[in-house]
């Protein structure tokens, strides 16, 4: 299946809740590359896998990139990700243990704050590999999820403009602060 060619203007596409644009892919690419040079990016609730496949292709245009984007979803919804990059869970409540191997977690239009909180509690509140978590969705929904992103030792940044999304969507970034060398 040929990959969709995005425009510079955020637009909705069939099979993806989130608006997509070149600016969004560039912004996401910069975030991931600034926090990890290699490793697994796990998208929880990847649906059809459109965003994840576009992001994987975007990141891997650079020959030295060693970031791998995988999705997590219930059976029968993925159509864009190859089998080796999709992790199937038994239900919308289930946690994918592959998250323990991740450098980043991505939540796009999540349905349940409880599920987001379970991932954050399991993989960010304990010392580990996860350095970055992203929440992307409607501004109107953020308040329900904000408490999930209050993690000791992590910084939160809410991006409402300039990140390649339509005006009613936003991105929130939860990241470990970079250690400044003396």
């Amino acid at each position: 299946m040929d990959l969709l060619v995005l425009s510079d203007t955020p637009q909705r596409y069939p099979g993806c809740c989130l608006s997509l644009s070149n600016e969004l892919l560039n912004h996401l690419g910069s975030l991931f590359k600034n926090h990890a040079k290699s490793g697994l990016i796990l998208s929880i609730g990847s649906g059809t896998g459109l965003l994840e496949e576009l992001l994987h292709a975007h990141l891997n245009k650079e020959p030295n990139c060693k970031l791998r984007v995988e999705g997590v979803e219930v059976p029968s919804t993925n159509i864009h990700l190859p089998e080796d990059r999709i992790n199937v869970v038994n239900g919308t409540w289930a946690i994918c243990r592959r998250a323990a191997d991740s450098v980043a977690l991505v939540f796009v239009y999540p349905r349940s704050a409880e599920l987001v909180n379970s991932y954050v509690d399991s993989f960010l509140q304990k010392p580990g590999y996860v350095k970055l978590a992203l929440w992307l969705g409607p501004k109107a929904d953020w308040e329900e999820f904000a408490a999930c992103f209050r993690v000791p030792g992590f910084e939160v940044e809410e991006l409402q403009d300039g990140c390649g999304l339509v005006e009613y969507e936003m991105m929130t970034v939860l990241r470990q602060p970079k250690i400044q060398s003396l």
Side-chain angles (χ1 to χ4, degrees):
M1 180 181 292
D2 289 334
L3 269 180
L4 182 68
V5 176
L6 299 180
S7 74
D8 293 333
T9 304
Q11 296 177 38
R12 300 285 306 270
Y13 293 93
C16 191
C17 296
L18 189 70
S19 59
L20 302 174
S21 68
N22 288 322
E23 183 180 2
L24 174 64
L25 291 182
N26 290 333
H27 196 85
L28 292 173
S30 293
L31 281 169
F32 293 127
K33 290 174 194 172
N34 285 337
H35 283 83
K37 301 298 179 205
S38 64
L40 174 62
I41 298 166
L42 196 63
S43 180
I44 316 304
S46 57
T48 65
L50 178 59
L51 170 63
E52 293 73 14
E53 186 62 12
L54 288 166
L55 180 58
H56 184 81
H58 179 78
L59 290 169
N60 288 282
K61 284 191 291 190
E62 295 181 22
N64 295 335
C65 181
K66 295 183 178 164
L67 289 168
R68 177 181 171 90
V69 181
E70 292 184 9
V72 175
E73 192 51 81
V74 295
S76 302
T77 58
N78 172 57
I79 58 173
H80 294 283
L81 290 171
E83 280 188 40
D84 69 326
R85 289 195 293 111
I86 187 71
N87 300 278
V88 178
V89 291
N90 293 328
T92 57
W93 44 264
I95 296 225
C96 176
R97 291 293 160 199
R98 187 105 165 92
D101 302 325
S102 303
V103 294
L105 300 176
V106 180
F107 303 94
V108 178
Y109 272 74
R111 294 181 191 170
S112 163
E114 188 175 320
L115 180 65
V116 172
N117 204 49
S118 293
Y119 272 96
V120 170
D121 282 349
S122 297
F123 304 108
L124 276 82
Q125 300 249 15
K126 299 175 181 128
Y129 205 45
V130 177
K131 297 171 178 19
L132 185 70
L134 302 179
W135 182 93
L136 297 108
K139 291 177 183 178
D141 288 359
W142 172 239
E143 189 174 319
E144 179 183 344
F145 293 89
C148 302
F149 271 46
R150 290 190 196 110
V151 178
F154 281 75
E155 299 171 340
V156 177
E157 180 182 5
E158 294 178 18
L159 304 168
Q160 300 200 17
D161 298 308
C163 59
L165 297 169
V166 293
E167 69 280 347
Y168 59 85
E169 293 175 326
M170 66 179 279
M171 175 189 314
T172 299
V173 181
L174 177 67
R175 63 177 138 221
Q176 287 181 337
K178 291 194 174 199
I179 298 171
Q180 301 292 328
S181 54
L182 301 175

